[in-house]
Amino acid sequence: MAHFLIVEARFYSHLNDMLIEGAKGALEAAGHSAELITVPGALEVPGAIAMAAESGRYDGFVAIGVVIRGETYHFEIVAGESARAIMALTMDGIAIGNGILTTENEEQAIVRADPAQKNKGGEAAMAAVRLLELRDQFD
Ligand SMILES: Nc1c(NC[C@H](O)[C@H](O)[C@H](O)CO)[nH]c(=O)[nH]c1=O
Ligand SMILES: CC(=O)[C@@H](O)COP(=O)(O)O
């Protein structure tokens, strides 16, 4: 059994609740345990993962959040920079599944957050599980 940390950017609570349900359900079904921490937004997720990885207490991580386009360029920054920083951590060998949705509107986010629909939270959790399996295989 592996132990995962779910790091949620709690910007849209009702959407996060669905993503977290999917992630927890996937990890539990795969026989793993999970903790949850909350940060304000997607830009804080990579830093929180980096800090938690330093502790050595977690085998893998699932990033959860929702970034919905507004009126300004900020969407590109939040969506792009959180994804880029998470990818950089993954390239350092940290098993992370990225379940941060980046959508044009709430309707798109609901479909992707809902475990009964596209279940992107569960998908991100299983991606982290797979990366951990590969790291163990290559060690
Ligand atoms: N607009 C969204 C944000 N913005 C907040 C940033 O992520 C960050 O917390 C702030 O800039 C302070 O550093 N975050 C989301 O997760 N989703 C959004 O739609
Ligand atoms: C993704 C965002 O930062 C967005 O929610 C902020 O909206 P706006 O660009 O209208 O300030």
Side-chain angles (χ1 to χ4, degrees), residues 38-90:
T38 300
V39 296
L43 288 181
E44 284 75 47
V45 169
I49 290 173
M51 286 185 260
E54 279 290 310
S55 76
R57 297 209 298 262
Y58 308 100
D59 299 301
F61 302 86
V62 184
I64 292 293
V66 180
V67 186
I68 299 177
R69 187 181 297 277
E71 298 173 353
T72 71
Y73 187 74
H74 199 221
F75 173 86
E76 275 69 21
I77 295 299
V78 175
E81 287 302 298
S82 58
R84 183 194 56 76
I86 288 169
M87 186 59 67
L89 291 170
T90 302

Side-chain angles (χ1 to χ4, degrees), residues 24-45:
K24 285 184 174 178
L27 291 173
E28 186 178 318
H32 302 301
S33 60
E35 288 175 48
L36 174 73
I37 63 166
T38 300
V39 296
L43 288 181
E44 284 75 47
V45 169

